[in-house]
Amino acid sequence: MTNVKNTITMNNNIISTDHLTKIFGKFTAVNAISFEVRKGEIFGFLGANGAGKTTALKMLTGLLMPTSGVATVAGYDVRKNPDQVKRRIGYMSQKFSLYEDLTVRENIRLFGGIYGLKMTEIRSKTTDLLQKLQLEPEADKLVGSLPLGWKQKLAFSVALLHDPQIVFLDEPTSGVDPITRRQFWELIYEAAAEGVTLMVTTHYMDEAEYCDRVSIMVDGKIEALDTPRAMKAGFQATDMDEVFRKLARGE
Amino acid sequence: MIQIDHLSKSFAAVQAVKDITLSVEQGEIFGIIGPDGAGKTTLFRMLTSLMLPDSGSASVVGLDVVKDYKQLRQVIGYMPGRFSLYQDLTVEENLGFFAAVFGTSIRENYDLIAPIYSQIEPFKARRAGALSGGMKQKLALCCALIHKPEVLFLDEPGTGVDPVSRKEFWDMLGNLRKQGLTMLVSTPYMDEAELCSRVALMQKGEIMAIDTPKGITKAFQMPLYAVRSDNMYQLIKDLRTLDGMADCYAFGEFAHLKMLDTATPAKDVTTRIIGFLQAKNHRNIEIKPAAPTVEDCFIELMRN
């Protein structure tokens, strides 16, 4: 256990947990989960409502102390160095987007400042980002006036602003139209191709197929972890929806 | 049962619902399919008499949503998208409250809700706020049904709910339909369209198509192929440069590739595409003709 950090560097794992557990009163929300995520991987983190995904994510992002067990993220122990972890990760949730009453440009500047980027860096990143998202004409519009899909794309790009090693995406495409949903996934692919590791939760089972590997949580435990292909073969299922149903409800 | 004529509603500069006309027959599960911002909730609020239309008209069970709103509210059930029960009342108190508001009792209409309520009855002394997502949804459905409505409006019952609970919920709706209840359901999940008798595909306040799920997919004219290789991101990028390509996008484990040419036999097309991909160093290439889904059709309609 003492040399977890060394093992990680050797294995090229960017997230590593060992019997990670969180107990609230009498309720065990996360029950001794042990798994690894590799550098540059798109990792799907699936599970039914109440299976413990959000609690696990909060521990991995340094927002919640584990009750027991170990988690190392980007080379740092989430219990001992939560601040170091936070510096190296990005996070995008379905609910919190950006400040709706600030413009696109102001949001980028604000978050760049929070992440401690220099003004020159912020300026060049703003130009790159606006160009990549084709948002130049919208740069000085309030974020609140943008369509949901654009907001989510912008929020993702802002989560990448400080060049994090890992980005956590919590249901990033919920309620988004089918075209924008796919454009969003192309941004995810692009980030992965540049070496960023992505951990994604989703209720769209077709999106589970876009991941390199997925894990499925049931009642606080990781009940399956594999490539979507191997998982479907193992469960003799035609799609991930069926795998999910078989696992989560023992159908 | 539901008749909508040229219904429109704007908020400042945004036209949330644009000139919508449609009708729903007795005993249908009619799906309003569309992403956030399509105007689904605004449409539901007008049909349930909670919001006044700017123009056009609508009636439910023959009752005008503006003039006859008092009677209308007696005969419809409405399950809003956001959980709207009293969190600090128990399961049983919530249900009793809704029954009382409509001048009935739990016992009087117990048969209708029994198959659903029996699943949460063991927790009837628990506060609604302490229920799991799936149980909250079942309770909300019971509360919307307790006065035995003729038409039930369900606004995004599946949003934020995991695939297993969603499936269970649709099974319950299927059972209600067998008892003759008419339902209007909205959802951003395209795969749920298959579970409806008819659907309207909605985007930016407008209806792009109304038909049975089969009718919707039948309207998709161009040849569609499912393609995969070891590098999906590169695959999609490469396929977009293919001669004769109409559209290409990720679709689960495959990329869907829509071709312009309807005359060339599928066999010749697949041979050409395999050659094209091999030249681009793709490995483990698989290709087969694909049946279009409602989602493919939605994408096509959005592009036009």
Side-chain angles (χ1 to χ4, degrees), chain A residues 175 181-182 186 232 249, chain B residues 36 162 168 240 250 253 295:
Chain A
R181 202 149 72 80
R182 285 169 172 83
E186 282 174 28
K232 282 184 287 185
R249 289 295 144 96
Chain B
D36 287 3
D162 68 71
E168 285 177 355
R240 284 186 183 149
E253 133 180 59
E295 186 149 358

Side-chain angles (χ1 to χ4, degrees), chain B residues 78-252:
Chain B
Y78 176 43
M79 184 171 151
R82 193 184 292 174
F83 183 69
S84 329
L85 304 179
Y86 293 94
Q87 310 256 7
D88 46 0
L89 293 185
T90 66
V91 168
E92 197 176 23
E93 285 166 346
N94 263 297
L95 192 58
F97 173 78
F98 280 92
V101 166
F102 285 103
T104 180
S105 66
I106 299 176
R107 192 182 297 165
E108 202 171 323
N109 289 324
Y110 189 78
D111 288 349
L112 185 66
I113 60 160
I116 306 156
Y117 190 58
S118 60
Q119 299 175 42
I120 48 172
E121 215 164 7
F123 312 99
K124 64 181 181 185
R126 192 181 286 187
R127 288 183 187 203
L131 294 176
S132 74
M135 287 203 282
K136 275 183 185 166
Q137 215 188 16
K138 285 171 191 164
L139 176 60
L141 182 59
C142 289
C143 290
L145 283 171
I146 194 62
H147 59 296
K148 220 173 176 178
E150 292 181 55
V151 180
L152 184 60
F153 293 88
L154 302 127
D155 193 9
E156 296 208 23
T159 294
V161 177
D162 68 71
V164 176
S165 307
R166 278 206 284 139
K167 187 178 176 290
E168 285 177 355
F169 196 80
W170 275 93
D171 289 342
M172 288 185 250
L173 299 190
N175 286 332
L176 290 169
R177 190 182 172 202
K178 280 183 201 145
Q179 299 178 46
L181 190 67
T182 306
M183 282 168 275
L184 191 69
V185 190
S186 74
T187 176
Y189 295 98
M190 306 281 148
D191 55 344
E192 292 184 342
E194 318 276 349
L195 304 165
C196 302
S197 54
R198 285 192 303 146
V199 294
L201 304 187
M202 203 170 168
Q203 165 78 355
K204 292 183 179 161
E206 286 174 290
I207 288 177
M208 303 188 293
I210 301 178
D211 211 327
T212 59
K214 274 212 180 98
I216 296 273
T217 51
K218 231 177 155 180
F220 194 94
Q221 295 289 346
M222 287 187 219
L224 190 70
Y225 297 88
V227 194
R228 59 164 288 138
S229 81
D230 282 351
N231 186 342
M232 288 302 283
Y233 179 46
Q234 196 56 45
L235 178 81
I236 290 171
K237 276 203 201 168
D238 287 339
L239 284 174
R240 284 186 183 149
T241 67
L242 179 77
D243 264 352
M245 184 234 38
D247 202 357
C248 180
Y249 43 83
F251 207 93

Side-chain angles (χ1 to χ4, degrees), chain A residues 107-160:
Chain A
N107 265 292
I108 300 172
R109 199 167 70 206
L110 172 68
F111 283 96
I114 290 172
Y115 289 132
L117 300 186
K118 293 194 191 90
M119 209 51 219
T120 48
E121 275 180 295
I122 295 177
R123 243 177 254 129
S124 71
K125 291 228 176 210
T126 305
T127 315
D128 294 349
L129 195 155
L130 291 174
Q131 197 176 6
K132 186 171 139 193
L133 297 179
Q134 298 176 330
L135 271 176
E136 285 129 326
E138 267 69 37
D140 297 307
K141 285 191 185 156
L142 295 185
V143 162
S145 70
L146 299 180
L148 175 72
W150 290 15
K151 278 188 210 166
Q152 293 298 78
K153 282 191 252 178
L154 180 63
F156 180 52
S157 302
V158 168
L160 282 167

